[in-house]
Amino acid sequence: MSNRKTRYFVAVMGAILAVGLGTGLVASYMGLPVSVFSSAAGPEELQYVPADAAVVAYANVREVMSSQFRQRFKDIEPSQDEKNEFEEKTGLNLEQDVDSIVAAVMPKDGMAQNPAGSFLILARARYQASRLEALAIEHGGQVSEYNGKRLIAVHDDDANDPTPDEMAFGFLEADLVGFGSIETVKAAIDARASNRNIVSNNDMMKLVNEIDNANAWAVGKFDAIASKVGLPTEIASAMPAISWFSAAGHVNGGISGSFKAEAKDEATAKNLRDIMGGFLAMAKMQAANKPGMQQLAESLVISGEGNTVALAFSIPSEVLDVLESLAKGRQPQLQQ
Amino acid sequence: MTGDATPLPAFRRMSYFDAARRVFDLSLGEMLWSRRTIFMGLIVGGPVLLALIVKVIESFGMSALRVNGQRMAGFSIFGVIIWALFLRFIVPVLGVFYGTALMADEVEDKTITYLFTRPVPRGAVLVGKYLAYLACTFLVVLPSVMIVYFLLVPLSQVPATFGKLLIDLGLLALGLAVYGGVFSFVGSFFKRPLVIGLIFAFGWEQVVLLIPGSLKQFTIAFYMQGLVPHAMPSEGVTSILQGLFQQNPPAWVCLAWLFAFLGGFLYLATRVVEKKEYILEQ
């Protein structure tokens, strides 16, 4: 090439291509954690979720509790007396003190018979630690320490359970309690300390990263759960071959949300889209001339490409008004 | 006075390959530092700017694009940019502007005589210029696609999407090569190649894709669309109609036709340059 300027230009552009291709190849074959060059998505509590969790769910309890949607359903909640009794014992006002909850499922063999041993619940709230600890000891709880965190274990004396798990809760932070079997709570403490947690699981974090503007969501590896739950062969064979799923919702005046699944192959995904499309068409036909239901059916949108299937919906508060008035209109008839 | 008459040294005629390489060397610098490249920089800079804006918006925790109320993932936005900006606009427009100018510029500037009086095969002039066009457009378009990709797609999604990026890069390179080949023929054969090129790329190709039937097989876009690894965006009436009448032939058919277009038109262009007598307007 005759010109120095041209040579520089070719070198710079070639370098951009080479760096891009190199980074892509390294990322594809060796993997890069999400935390590289970017902050992790999702709530901080995810750092306590073990890396082998197959399902992770999150709810912003504070937002949901203060939403207009929830105000509509206050009538069907437990009576004020029951709430007061709980608050008196634990010092925890569910409506005002709880900020968020993260739940995770770590699949293990025999999960169907003993589900408690596979769950971990992380609740962020304003606790009165001494009061909770005293209450647990009063009910036979035993206090111990694990990696500098206080654990309170309660032995499950269920005679029907042949392999009872010792349930426990531990104060992971001043305002964060982990609850589950003693193994899962210990695993949560280890996950945070060793930095080997769900945040380093790229597949899972990819799904978490895609969730936006949701105050409740769940993501998970469907086949990992299905294989451990021990479903009967007839049911297992009839289930669609889904590998990943994510569900997200936003609750405020109304509710909006989406469900997304990743099938094993494009043919399965297409079949699922077709089946859902059929159900949707049927729902729209049934909902015709029913004001609230029609709007609800219209809000359902099926989408997806390649291996993915997605269903989105949005129920505005106006539709809830109509449904509420329809329900109220029917109530007297039902009582008669 | 008698003396031996020393014969004049005969001009050695360069081989086709050497001649093409010389013309390539000469043309690449000319092409890169021409006003046309500023235009190319501007249209290729558009998607980079767009990706940068999306990145800035998302860094504030907001979502740049939503479909049915749901956040559009980075790779989906990248797919839309590849479809709507690169494949439908940038690749054809670069093919038209550069391809038609390969020979037409020399005719217009009346410099073609200097090239043809050199001891080089005429066809090699076109091949050298065509290779310079490929180098020039690849060096500008492909790095910009790479930048757009890394701006839009989070690193966590790179392992799952990198294969598709490689297909995109290959497809864009093939598109530039095919459009360049077709329009180099147009540029060497017709008198007003730019107008004809624009009518073909943005008239014929766009309209025919909307019409049901087999006419679309006479377009390059039809075979390019059959190879795109992203879903066709469904915004706008044109896109919806094109999606409606879209038939995707198998990938090998698309590739075979695209290579046939490339080889066929490039061969025709070199034949035209070798045979045609260019009359320079005074």
Side-chain angles (χ1 to χ4, degrees):
Chain A
M1 271 161 269
S2 51
N3 194 322
R4 188 193 284 184
K5 212 164 53 168
T6 306
R7 281 198 295 271
Y8 282 147
F9 182 82
V10 171
V12 170
M13 290 308 193
I16 293 175
L17 263 181
V19 169
L21 290 173
T23 311
L25 284 173
V26 169
S28 300
Y29 288 101
M30 297 166 75
L32 284 174
V34 172
S35 52
V36 178
F37 308 122
S38 63
S39 60
E44 279 176 33
E45 290 91 318
L46 293 184
Q47 293 179 356
Y48 286 99
V49 176
D52 63 342
V55 177
V56 181
Y58 166 81
N60 187 327
V61 179
R62 178 160 280 271
E63 268 188 33
V64 175
M65 284 293 189
S66 57
S67 68
Q68 293 165 13
F69 176 78
R70 186 242 165 188
Q71 303 304 320
R72 292 174 188 269
F73 296 96
K74 261 192 149 181
D75 301 345
I76 56 166
E77 284 178 3
S79 70
Q80 201 61 36
D81 292 344
E82 286 171 33
K83 278 190 195 171
N84 288 345
E85 195 185 333
F86 179 81
E87 191 177 344
E88 225 170 74
K89 280 184 179 171
T90 61
L92 199 63
N93 183 322
L94 290 175
E95 215 166 309
Q96 290 164 10
D97 293 335
V98 183
D99 291 331
S100 64
I101 288 178
V102 168
V105 181
M106 279 70 67
K108 63 177 192 180
D109 293 326
M111 202 175 124
Q113 288 76 40
N114 179 24
S118 309
F119 285 89
L120 171 69
I121 291 165
L122 302 160
R124 197 174 282 282
R126 277 159 293 282
Y127 298 105
Q128 294 180 27
S130 52
R131 201 161 163 182
L132 278 176
E133 203 175 303
L135 185 70
I137 292 167
E138 198 180 297
H139 286 82
Q142 288 178 334
V143 181
S144 61
E145 284 232 347
Y146 182 76
N147 281 354
K149 310 280 182 193
R150 264 175 105 72
L151 293 185
I152 296 112
V154 182
H155 192 73
D156 184 7
D157 289 327
D158 187 354
N160 298 325
D161 189 351
T163 53
D165 266 293
E166 203 171 7
M167 301 306 287
F169 71 91
F171 284 92
L172 309 179
E173 290 171 19
D175 61 347
L176 182 68
V177 158
F179 175 77
S181 73
I182 193 148
E183 281 78 21
T184 56
V185 178
K186 282 180 177 176
I189 296 168
D190 291 341
R192 175 79 167 94
S194 65
N195 220 12
R196 282 185 191 160
N197 43 50
I198 200 75
V199 178
S200 59
N201 183 332
N202 284 334
D203 291 330
M204 196 70 100
M205 289 312 287
K206 186 184 131 193
L207 296 174
V208 175
N209 204 28
E210 284 172 7
I211 293 165
D212 179 43
N213 193 29
N215 45 26
W217 53 258
V219 297
K221 194 163 167 51
F222 187 82
D223 45 9
I225 291 287
S227 65
K228 299 285 181 186
V229 164
L231 291 170
T233 353
E234 300 80 34
I235 297 175
S237 60
M239 285 181 76
I242 292 171
S243 45
W244 291 92
F245 75 89
S246 73
H250 187 86
V251 181
N252 195 7
I255 314 171
S256 61
S258 67
F259 176 80
K260 196 171 152 189
E262 194 179 300
K264 297 257 192 233
D265 50 59
E266 287 192 22
T268 311
K270 192 180 172 302
N271 282 343
L272 269 173
R273 284 196 291 265
D274 291 345
I275 293 167
M276 284 162 73
F279 276 116
L280 189 58
M282 204 164 75
K284 280 181 181 170
M285 271 172 61
Q286 295 285 330
N289 305 323
K290 292 175 189 165
M293 297 307 287
Q294 198 176 5
Q295 270 180 286
L296 176 65
E298 290 298 332
S299 79
L300 293 166
V301 179
I302 296 166
S303 59
E305 58 174 275
N307 287 16
T308 60
V309 184
L311 174 72
F313 67 91
S314 173
I315 311 171
S317 57
E318 295 78 33
V319 175
L320 291 173
D321 288 340
V322 175
L323 293 174
E324 203 178 3
S325 60
L326 279 173
K328 279 179 183 164
R330 267 183 209 164
Q331 230 165 5
Q333 289 175 351
L334 290 171
Q335 282 167 357
Q336 276 166 13
Chain B
M1 197 170 77
T2 58
D4 294 335
T6 314
L8 285 168
F11 280 112
R12 189 172 62 86
R13 199 173 168 82
M14 266 193 257
S15 72
Y16 203 93
F17 176 77
D18 278 347
R21 195 173 54 82
R22 286 283 178 89
V23 176
F24 167 80
D25 270 354
L26 193 74
S27 305
L28 181 62
E30 265 178 25
M31 262 185 208
L32 275 178
W33 309 115
S34 65
R35 271 180 297 176
R36 210 172 262 122
T37 308
I38 299 172
F39 161 75
M40 175 161 69
L42 285 176
I43 62 165
V44 167
V48 177
L49 189 69
L50 193 69
L52 201 64
I53 292 169
V54 170
K55 181 81 181 169
V56 170
I57 291 172
E58 297 211 326
S59 68
F60 285 107
M62 295 179 277
S63 59
L65 270 176
R66 286 173 168 276
V67 175
N68 296 328
Q70 296 304 303
R71 181 184 188 168
M72 215 169 157
F75 189 68
S76 303
I77 301 175
F78 176 73
V80 171
I81 288 180
I82 289 288
W83 259 108
L85 294 180
F86 281 97
L87 282 173
R88 283 189 178 164
F89 180 68
I90 292 173
V91 169
V93 99
L94 292 182
V96 170
F97 278 92
Y98 277 88
T100 54
L102 292 182
M103 295 312 293
D105 269 8
E106 300 287 351
V107 176
E108 202 174 295
D109 297 344
K110 301 184 181 67
T111 49
I112 198 162
T113 324
Y114 304 117
L115 277 173
F116 285 174
T117 50
R118 293 281 167 188
V120 291
R122 278 179 161 207
V125 172
L126 181 103
V127 172
K129 279 176 164 284
Y130 174 77
L131 292 175
Y133 149 78
L134 284 188
C136 185
T137 49
F138 284 7
L139 282 170
V140 177
V141 174
L142 303 188
S144 88
V145 173
M146 192 63 88
I147 293 169
V148 170
Y149 174 80
F150 278 102
L151 279 173
L152 291 176
V153 181
L155 270 178
S156 58
Q157 291 178 26
V158 168
T161 57
F162 190 64
K164 286 183 178 175
L165 169 73
L166 293 182
I167 297 174
D168 285 331
L169 291 175
L171 191 58
L172 292 174
L174 184 61
L176 286 167
V178 177
Y179 276 109
V182 171
F183 293 122
S184 66
F185 165 73
V186 173
S188 45
F189 190 77
F190 293 102
K191 219 171 180 189
R192 283 186 173 68
L194 189 61
V195 178
I196 295 168
L198 286 172
I199 290 172
F200 177 83
F202 298 103
W204 169 258
E205 290 224 312
Q206 304 296 322
V207 172
V208 160
L209 287 178
L210 303 176
I211 303 169
S214 54
L215 267 182
K216 53 174 77 73
Q217 290 172 10
F218 300 102
T219 65
I220 299 165
F222 175 65
Y223 301 106
M224 294 283 291
Q225 288 182 3
L227 295 170
V228 185
H230 308 278
M232 183 189 268
S234 54
E235 285 84 27
V237 179
T238 315
S239 297
I240 289 167
L241 282 173
Q242 286 186 359
L244 206 64
F245 301 127
Q246 193 187 18
Q247 309 154 340
N248 279 346
W252 70 268
V253 174
C254 296
L255 282 172
W257 273 107
L258 289 172
F259 279 108
F261 277 131
L262 172 60
F265 278 99
L266 208 54
Y267 173 75
L268 285 175
T270 54
R271 293 295 294 167
V272 169
V273 172
E274 278 165 9
K275 302 282 176 198
K276 190 173 176 179
E277 204 166 307
Y278 289 95
I279 299 160
L280 304 180
E281 285 174 9
Q282 295 303 312

